[in-house]
Amino acid sequence: MDPADLSIAEAGTRLRAGDLRSVDLLTAVRRRASMTEAILHAYLTIDYDGAMAAAEAADAALTRGEDWGPLHGIPIALKDNLVTRGLETTCSSRILSGWIPPYSATVVERLRRGGAVVVGKTNLDEFAMGSSTENSAYGPTRNPWDPDRVPGGSSGGSAASVAVGSAFAALGSDTGGSIRQPAALCGVVGMKPTYGLVSRYGLIAFASSLDQIGPITRTVADAVTVFEAIAGHDPSDATSYRGAYPDPRADLDLGVAGLRIGVVRELSHDGIEPGVAAAFQATLDALAADGAAISELSLPSTEYALSAYYLIAPAECSANLARFDGVRYGLRLPGESVEQMMSASRRDGFGPEVTRRILLGTYALSAGYYDAFYGQAQKVRTLVIEDFKRAYAEVDVLVIPTSPTTAFAVGAKTADPLSMYLSDVCTIPSNLSGDPAISVPVGLDEAGLPVGFQVLAPALGEAMMFRVAAAVERLAGLDARPAMATSEGAA
Amino acid sequence: MPVEIDIAKVARLARIGLTSGELDHYAEQLQVILEHAARVQALPTEGVVPTAHPLPMTNAVRPDEVEPTLDREEVLAAAPEREGPYFRVPPYLEE
Amino acid sequence: MTYEAVIGIETHVELLTRSKMFCGCPTDFGAEPNTNVCPVCLGLPGALPVPNEQAIEWTMSLGLALECVIAPHSVFHRKNYFYADLPKNYQISQFDLPLCTGGHLDVDAGDGPRRVGITRVHLEEDTGKSTHLGGSGRIHDASGALIDFNRSGIPLMEVVTDPDMRTPEEARAYAQELRAIVLALGISDARLEEGSLRFDANVSLRPAGTDTLGTKVEVKNMNSLRSVQRALAFEIERQARVLDSGQPVAQETRHWDEAAGRTESGRSKEESSDYRYFTEPDLVPLVVAPGLLDRLHAGIPELPAARRARYVAVGLEEAAARTLVAGGLAELFDDAVAVGASPRAAANWLTGEITGHLNRTGIEPEALPIDGARLAELLAMVDAAEISATAAKDVLAGVLAGEGSPREVAAGRDLLQISDAGALSAAVDDVLTAHPDEAARIRGGEGRLVGFLVGKVMKATSGKADPKAVDALIRDRTGS
């Protein structure tokens, strides 16, 4: 097997057995990237020199008998909204074109300390706003299963690179589904942690009370590994959780016998494509056969979750993106006054989706509109949280499709922003509640496109979530790889 | 339920210098999105406390201790315009 | 038409914490530009704020000193506006759940006590500093600006009063008292000229005897306590003239020009600011832990009002007590009294000569070469007649000039009196011998000639004899 297709667990075993080196893993990744990037465009920046130095250092350490952890020597990709010192970070925006940060995100430091080899920065929808990676100022990423289709978004580059093997794992960020939905559309595993378990320091903020960083991997076990490497309290993030939480790995192989699984009625029927519905049902059947008790629950406030999200997220982003003003970094257009300079730079630097959301958010926060829009949306959020709490009194996990559709065609939804927003209807509720959720690939539809199955757990319930996800993977997981991912398969 | 938007004022508040054609375009789009978002108003919320945070955490503070600063040259290297040790900007209009 | 002025004051206090409000950058004044910076206070993408615990506790302490209610649950908000020296283009501040509310401060400007309500005390962060290039250094004719972010993120406490003051004198008294409390608490160095204490006033007029508030004008740029008084006096008069001429007062911000002695209209804004306040999502609420307020209470030192009351109780006049406390001389006074100086005598010297010296030289009380011990020594020397009261002034001048202790200065400047009877005997006897007629007349009852002979002894001793001792000796020798 081409080393690029190994799981992290497998690669780790072979590194320690001495029959592969980190340099070999990196070389395999490089080869896979060279075969796929021309079409895929998953990466914005690849730093082979830096990666090679890290791989050599990892190998030297292993030779000395040191073991820095499960990610020691493993090539990883980072979504380009994660700040990396010395390595260009753009958020796929013109306004940060060429920006070389003077510091690194906490998660990046943690990965490096664990010996991970950073390959490069992956493409995203500009400032993480979007569901298709078509909003990137540097061109879209393509879906590895069908290059005429989108990989999902906003972490499209991360999902695509893991799907084809040009990275062993990637970090993405999830504000309204931006890890889970592209993972589903690309046929890989993507997970959003409980809000606060992973430090946001160095994640370029979109919506502060919703953003979380999480892993995109090829297996559930790998997702646990990456999550463990990045999770934990960070004093530099005041919203970082300080308490204890259950070991996410403890129950991984226990299976679902005796567990209560709830299907969210409002998000599992209307608007779900037949191919997705079929794969979803087949997975439910397999879980039931394996001993889980399946029921259907109503969470009525989730019908309003999308609307609340499209008030809360833009409001927070309108303030978070105010710092991009041409004064201290980033794009600056000339102006006779500083006000003109700012206005011109921002008009030129931000793409249409970002502009749209900043305007929307500014409006929602304005005097006179606050109570009806932002204020009301934060109350709806409370109702969503209460619905989830009530549900978890009756079931151990909730399940829904990750995305109502499989990968759609490039350009299919760009004319109508609202239709694009509807892609997030199954993922947004977990961002509002702050609870963890994971997408596991469960087969292909008739067009050969992957379907994602989503498991939702209560806050700090990663152990239960991974346990059910591992069972889903075992019972219904996707064996196939995209054609582009094989050594001969590039078009 | 049509929503009233003074798009020019919003763009000014947000410091995005859109042309009048662009303003019209965004105003239309915002109209559609806001009407959808305004559905939140249909939910009864008397007595409901707004969530500012999904986490019930309090008192995340730090002790009054000095930590390392950034290297000034590295900081100013990213500046669109610098003058000596300062960031330089065009003249201000407002106080 | 007689008007009543209605005045409220907003004070910004830069806190003396070691590190900034939301990051660990140092706060030292005068550092090289843009060296005390980090991703947080520069507003770099991805940075996050974490609040300074000391700044929070100091704000609560000031709230307690001002008799405020400390909020059991307090929250930070984002105040959104664009400005080049505001790196995130929002300021983390507090909106409807500030740390302290509902207190008061009693002041007296000389015509009776006034209770000034304290609406709120809250915590926020300072901005960077812009220097405008070219022209006059003001904004309106600049060719550009240079920005230093060292100040960005320094903790700022904002104290807002109810509009309870009625005269410029009251406003100054309030400002002075608030400054004294802040200094007593040790939470700021409160220097107006350096900007670590900033006063903005809101002033409106209404016809005397009515209670509807008039249009209020904000006055900024008052860089000394004296400016506060002068600016308000000017502004009240200006508004009165406007109203008398039948015009309405424009609601605006005006800047005080100390040199010109008037307020000037600031740049008018197109529209009033919409700050779009919302709860800061990068921070979590502050909740008062059990026992915290008791600990903070216990840590509050003697405040100016209590100190003044204590001084009055040991016999000082109100005015003297006020001068000692307001002038930063209270420590000196306490130290001198502690080693035996008489309170009234110590207070006289401190409020007189020493305060005069401070005013002339502009130095801070801490920089005085005289401490409580030296002041007590000076007073003791006068009491023991080692120096005359007149010479004492010269001795003090010498001490203040850095010549050493009172004893050293008296010796150095040859001001020591001879009051020892033995030492004076010879001189007195010489004079009596030289003036037998006067001596005889004194013996005969002409007591008024004693002074003449005292003068002779003074001359003979080059003025160093203690006149009282000489007088006593002469009378003794002549039996008068």
Side-chain angles (χ1 to χ4, degrees), chain C residues 8-26:
Chain C
I9 293 191
E10 274 173 30
T11 308
H12 283 91
V13 185
E14 258 182 27
L15 296 182
L16 266 180
T17 51
R18 284 191 286 269
S19 62
K20 292 187 178 181
M21 184 65 221
F22 294 112
C23 66
C25 284

Side-chain angles (χ1 to χ4, degrees), chain B residues 53 59 62 64 72 92-93, chain C residues 19 24 33-34 130 267 283 287:
Chain B
H53 266 292
N59 292 345
R62 39 170 272 276
D64 184 24
R72 179 166 69 190
Y92 291 51
L93 277 185
Chain C
S19 62
N34 290 309
S130 306
R267 208 155 290 272
L283 296 175
V287 163

Side-chain angles (χ1 to χ4, degrees), chain A residues 85 102 195 238-240 242 307 326 329 332 336-339 343 346-347 352 356 359 363 372 376 378 382, chain B residues 3-4 10 14-15 17 22 26 29 36 40-41 43 45 49 51 55 57-60 74 80-81 88 91 93:
Chain A
R85 185 177 185 186
Y195 182 89
T239 60
S240 168
R242 285 175 301 205
S307 305
Y329 46 82
R332 178 191 285 200
E336 278 171 21
S337 67
V338 77
E339 292 81 1
S343 294
R346 290 162 64 77
R347 171 177 172 271
R356 208 161 15 245
L359 294 174
Y363 177 80
Q376 179 71 356
Q378 290 288 31
T382 302
Chain B
V3 180
E4 237 189 74
V10 171
R15 290 290 189 278
E22 288 164 344
Y26 283 114
Q29 292 185 328
H36 182 89
V40 295
Q41 287 158 12
L43 266 187
T45 53
V49 176
T51 302
L55 276 188
M57 250 174 49
T58 59
N59 292 345
E74 204 177 350
E81 195 180 342
R88 191 190 165 120
L93 277 185

